[in-house]
Amino acid sequence: EFRIEYRIVRPDGGIRHLETHGYLRRDPVGRMVRCVGMERDVTPEKEMKEALRVAEERCELALTGTNDGVWDWDILSGRMYFNERYAEILGYEFLQLAQDDRSWMALVHPDDVAAAMAAREAHVAGRTLLYAAEHRMQVGSGEWKWVLGRGKVVARDTAGQARRMVGTLSDITE
């Protein structure tokens, strides 16, 4: 079997990416007697991968520029993803933070839990366009830091129930 990728330049100057898959048939003594293959234009896939790479790079640069941490909450399972910057903001090593909803709640200052939860629940229920809450969180040293959590539900089921929410965390202590 073989697989070959190559580019061609069309008469109009456009570049197309082609991919050929095939196999060789040999006779009993090993001479090639037939080559069977299929060629397809993979330009759309190549362009989509490049656009995704550029978008991911742009997003990463924007997050670096704002110095925000990122979180991603699977509402049904309670699992949360926190990126490394999120952990850094709170003074933890990346692997110290449990990747679940309870770990977020455990770090919110007891006096701020009700307001933070009310803001989150209002957004999850669809009563607000975005989630935004200023509250204190406990950092690795045991001190409290003011943060701004922002986010948006990005997936709902057919009944309108929130399934996934993503957002950022900003240090607003100063």
Side-chain angles (χ1 to χ4, degrees):
E1 278 191 51
F2 63 89
R3 180 179 164 272
I4 303 169
E5 278 191 41
Y6 55 97
R7 295 180 311 179
I8 60 168
V9 178
R10 296 173 27 163
D12 64 4
I15 296 176
R16 303 306 290 179
H17 298 270
L18 302 175
E19 181 179 84
T20 301
H21 293 265
Y23 60 92
L24 304 174
R25 290 287 187 208
R26 299 186 182 276
D27 66 14
V29 294
R31 293 183 302 232
M32 186 176 75
V33 293
R34 180 180 301 152
C35 176
V36 177
M38 177 183 82
E39 182 175 83
R40 72 182 186 103
D41 185 344
V42 294
T43 304
E45 290 94 338
K46 291 279 189 183
E47 290 171 346
M48 190 180 317
K49 283 181 183 177
E50 177 60 12
L52 179 60
R53 185 196 66 74
V54 169
E56 287 174 342
E57 179 182 53
R58 187 175 292 128
C59 182
E60 191 62 36
L61 289 171
L63 287 169
T64 300
T66 63
N67 212 19
D68 288 347
V70 173
W71 52 267
D72 185 340
W73 178 31
D74 179 328
I75 296 170
L76 290 179
S77 70
R79 286 188 307 263
M80 288 188 85
Y81 163 80
F82 306 106
N83 74 351
E84 288 184 36
R85 180 64 191 133
Y86 185 101
E88 287 172 13
I89 288 170
L90 297 176
Y92 294 97
E93 294 294 322
F94 177 62
L95 296 177
Q96 284 181 293
L97 291 177
Q99 302 285 309
D100 62 47
D101 187 38
R102 291 182 309 276
S103 67
W104 172 76
M105 288 301 304
L107 296 176
V108 175
H109 192 285
D111 293 344
D112 300 339
V113 169
M117 286 298 296
R120 186 172 82 168
E121 291 306 315
H123 179 64
V124 167
R127 294 188 306 271
T128 61
L129 292 176
L130 298 170
Y131 159 75
E134 291 182 11
H135 54 83
R136 291 164 289 180
M137 292 186 78
Q138 191 168 38
V139 299
S141 66
E143 298 173 340
W144 297 96
K145 182 178 277 193
W146 280 97
V147 297
L148 171 61
R150 290 178 286 201
K152 181 170 180 56
V153 169
V154 295
R156 292 186 182 273
D157 64 17
T158 55
Q161 296 298 308
R163 295 294 178 238
R164 182 177 178 202
M165 187 170 160
V166 297
T168 59
L169 182 79
S170 303
D171 180 353
I172 60 169
T173 304
E174 291 184 18

